[in-house]
Structure formats: structure tokens, C-alpha cells
């Protein structure tokens, strides 16, 4: 997210600077969305899928 370019409608300053309560609220809301996206990045999903497939393959071998 390029929220550093966002300009506040209340004080007309960059939201990233957090000069007024509206800025700070917007900045916090935008920053809270970033960790979520970081946790759900494709590499993490692929790694989880690989682990799941490996576990299923291992169990299939053991039961046969
Ligand atoms: Zn503002």
C-alpha cells in the first residue's frame, strides 16, 4: 500500500505524518491491513501447502 502519498481530507497534510486525529486513525487502519497481507503472501501459502502434501503422502505410505 502506498498510503504515504495519501493526503488527509481534514488537514490537507500527508496521512503518513499523522498531524490530526483523522490522519492518525487512517494511518493506523492502513497499517493494520499490512501485517494481514504479509501473513497471507503466496510464499507462505505455498509452504503450508507443501507441508500439508508431505504429511498426507507420509500418512498414505504408512497405512499401506
Ligand atoms: Zn489530517
Amino acid at each position: 500500500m502506498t498510503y504515504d502519498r495519501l493526503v488527509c481530507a481534514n488537514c490537507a497534510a500527508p496521512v503518513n505524518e499523522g498531524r490530526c486525529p483523522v490522519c492518525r486513525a487512517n494511518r493506523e487502519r492502513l497499517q493494520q491491513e499490512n501485517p494481514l497481507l504479509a501473513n497471507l503472501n503466496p510464499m507462505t501459502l505455498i509452504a503450508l501447502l507443501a507441508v500439508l502434501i508431505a504429511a498426507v503422502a507420509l500418512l498414505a505410505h504408512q497405512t499401506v
Side-chain angles (χ1 to χ4, degrees), residues 8-15 18-24:
C8 179
N10 190 43
C11 66
V15 168
R19 288 188 187 181
C20 76
V22 177
C23 288
R24 270 169 263 156

